[in-house]
Amino acid sequence: DQQVKQNSPSLSVQEGRISILNCDYTNSMFDYFLWYKKYPAEGPTFLISISSIKDKNEDGRFTVFLNKSAKHLSLHIVPSQPGDSAVYFCAASADAGGTSYGKLTFGQGTILTVHP
Amino acid sequence: KAGVTQTPRYLIKTRGQQVTLSCSPISGHRSVSWYQQTPGQGLQFLFEYFSETQRNKGNFPGRFSGRQFSNSRSEMNVSTLELGDSALYLCASSFPLSDTQYFGPGTRLTVL
């Protein structure tokens, strides 16, 4: 049972345009969501996160939107740069009394390619 | 501040052997989680340690085990290796009461 889904395996965008990466979840207990960027043979790099009490969080070129009723989140990258080309993972955690006890549930990832 | 470090970076073993991987968290982080990444299953949670205690465990067989030391460094052990254990093993650390995890570079394990 895949509780976090990234339905687009890949996305191709022109440099300078907006990249929109999507993620859906099924577990209503998830209350904290994160996006990571990953290059092959490296560990994921934390990009941005959002708590379920918010619907938007911005950090520079990265904005994450959360729609709790639709159980959907998205990552917007504006403007996209060739260096953004990587695999992007969304992840979620469920608070169990103040902590998730270290468990993040990941989507399968979306390969983003930004063309110069 | 130094990031999460993992050793070794690459490892080749044969079926039936056992392996120990090491992880040093970011200074001040006391929670260490381990994940397995494979092409077929993606990133899967193995277990989490906090203050030398395993607090959470994923759906992996008992051949996968771990421990944490008083300085928060952690090791994971896989016994009786199988071909399917070939994967990238990732360690992540976080501050107490924070769900934001920071990952190390991983250990690439190949089982022949």
Side-chain angles (χ1 to χ4, degrees):
Chain A
D1 173 32
Q2 202 171 345
Q3 298 184 48
V4 178
K5 295 181 183 179
Q6 293 177 254
N7 292 315
S8 299
S10 63
L11 175 67
S12 183
V13 171
Q14 207 66 30
E15 181 180 6
R17 306 295 290 268
I18 184 172
S19 295
I20 300 176
L21 298 117
N22 294 303
C23 181
D24 297 297
Y25 62 97
T26 57
N27 188 342
S28 58
M29 298 300 292
F30 287 147
D31 61 354
Y32 189 69
F33 303 89
L34 310 92
W35 283 95
Y36 287 87
K37 171 182 176 180
K38 188 179 185 299
Y39 296 112
E42 293 184 13
T45 300
F46 170 70
L47 284 174
I48 192 168
S49 62
I50 188 167
S51 164
S52 60
I53 62 173
K54 294 185 175 181
D55 54 18
K56 178 183 173 181
N57 189 26
E58 281 182 86
D59 185 1
R61 296 186 299 116
F62 302 94
T63 303
V64 56
F65 295 91
L66 175 62
N67 182 331
K68 289 187 293 293
S69 60
K71 292 191 175 67
H72 177 85
L73 64 153
S74 61
L75 174 68
H76 292 209
I77 306 174
V78 185
S80 301
Q81 301 172 353
D84 296 329
S85 297
V87 180
Y88 287 77
F89 290 94
C90 67
S93 68
D95 189 313
T99 177
S100 64
Y101 294 104
K103 180 178 179 179
L104 293 178
T105 302
F106 283 84
Q108 292 295 96
T110 297
I111 301 170
L112 173 65
T113 304
V114 181
H115 299 282
Chain B
K1 187 184 278 191
V4 178
T5 58
Q6 292 186 247
T7 56
R9 291 294 311 277
Y10 303 92
L11 209 48
I12 299 175
K13 293 286 187 178
T14 56
R15 277 180 300 174
Q17 287 187 309
Q18 76 164 18
V19 67
T20 299
L21 312 181
S22 181
C23 171
S24 291
I26 292 171
S27 177
H29 288 194
R30 292 170 58 194
S31 170
V32 174
S33 296
W34 289 89
Y35 296 83
Q36 179 196 66
Q37 186 185 24
T38 59
Q41 297 298 317
L43 274 150
Q44 304 264 299
F45 172 76
L46 279 157
F47 32 65
E48 186 252 12
Y49 285 86
F50 179 82
S51 290
E52 302 177 63
T53 301
Q54 185 184 89
R55 295 194 304 181
N56 203 354
K57 190 176 190 303
N59 294 326
F60 280 83
R63 299 185 297 107
F64 291 82
S65 63
R67 60 177 175 168
Q68 187 181 35
F69 302 94
S70 58
N71 62 358
S72 296
R73 191 177 70 84
S74 177
E75 290 181 346
M76 70 163 279
N77 183 276
V78 188
S79 62
T80 320
L81 284 166
E82 300 177 0
L83 295 178
D85 297 333
S86 295
L88 180 66
Y89 289 89
L90 293 158
C91 158
S93 71
S94 62
F95 279 115
L97 298 181
S98 170
D99 290 331
T100 301
Q101 296 182 16
Y102 296 88
F103 284 81
T107 294
R108 169 68 63 184
L109 172 65
T110 302
V111 182
L112 302 175

